[in-house]
Amino acid sequence: MAKKMPAAADSARQGVLPLLEHLTRLGKRVYISEMTPGGLRPRHLITLRLLADRGPLSQQGLGEALSLDPSNVVGLLNDLEERGLIVRRRDPADRRRHIVELSPSGAEEVVLSDERAIVVEDRLFAALDADERTTLYELLQRAIGTTALSCEVPGDNTQD
């Protein structure tokens, strides 16, 4: 006979993914409305944040870090370049490669988007105190660390 799980553990097993999905949709909606002044989408901001954190990257390396198809990377970078938020230049060591880096305007946008993200997180997690938010962050980091983020899901073309 199989052991019966405690009720709390059983409900957590049943409800984590739907709750994360709901929280993600809600967070994205609030985040986009808060980001409206810059008109940037989450994928733009993630790209800018990645460049701010890692410094200049090859276009291919950036695509790999973002887990995006090369054709999607080009469109994304075109958007950011048209807004003056990134600079693409040929790699002097290999003229076939492009190096992507933040422009001064892009660096400013990262600071502004970080400030807006704090507002969104404060709204989204208002019911949690500082210790609970820290615990949530640590648990999510640990969960992400056990997941192969670079694996592609068949049929998943999500951009944001």
Side-chain angles (χ1 to χ4, degrees):
M1 182 174 224
K3 283 175 55 177
K4 178 125 172 88
M5 296 180 77
D10 191 42
S11 66
R13 278 183 70 104
Q14 298 300 317
V16 173
L17 287 177
L19 285 173
L20 282 174
E21 174 66 23
H22 180 72
L23 186 62
T24 299
R25 277 186 278 132
L26 178 61
K28 185 175 179 180
R29 189 177 319 126
V30 173
Y31 190 70
I32 288 172
S33 72
E34 192 64 38
M35 295 301 161
T36 300
L40 296 174
R41 300 183 62 157
R43 66 183 175 154
H44 295 121
L45 296 168
I46 291 166
T47 303
L48 295 177
R49 166 54 50 211
L50 186 64
L51 290 169
D53 290 346
R54 296 191 185 174
L57 294 169
S58 71
Q59 188 167 309
Q60 180 181 355
L62 184 61
E64 289 170 1
L66 294 168
S67 297
L68 289 177
D69 182 83
S71 62
N72 291 332
V73 173
V74 170
L76 173 64
L77 295 180
N78 286 345
D79 289 347
L80 293 171
E81 193 170 42
E82 286 172 13
R83 294 169 184 250
L85 300 173
I86 62 155
V87 176
R88 276 188 280 195
R89 58 182 167 74
R90 293 274 181 200
D91 183 346
D94 183 349
R95 304 285 300 154
R96 296 170 294 177
R97 289 181 0 143
H98 283 94
I99 301 297
V100 182
E101 60 188 308
L102 280 179
S103 69
S105 295
E108 288 175 20
E109 186 60 41
V110 169
V111 171
L112 290 172
S113 68
D114 286 349
E115 290 169 358
R116 292 180 197 130
I118 290 168
V119 171
V120 171
E121 284 188 17
D122 286 346
R123 286 177 58 195
L124 200 59
F125 298 111
L128 303 179
D129 66 30
D131 289 339
E132 290 170 325
R133 285 173 67 167
T134 298
T135 300
L136 177 61
Y137 179 81
E138 290 168 352
L139 290 170
L140 292 171
Q141 284 289 99
R142 192 166 57 182
I144 288 169
T146 62
T147 305
L149 292 179
S150 62
C151 68
E152 294 185 25
V153 178
D156 181 13
N157 319 351
T158 56
Q159 293 292 309
D160 295 296

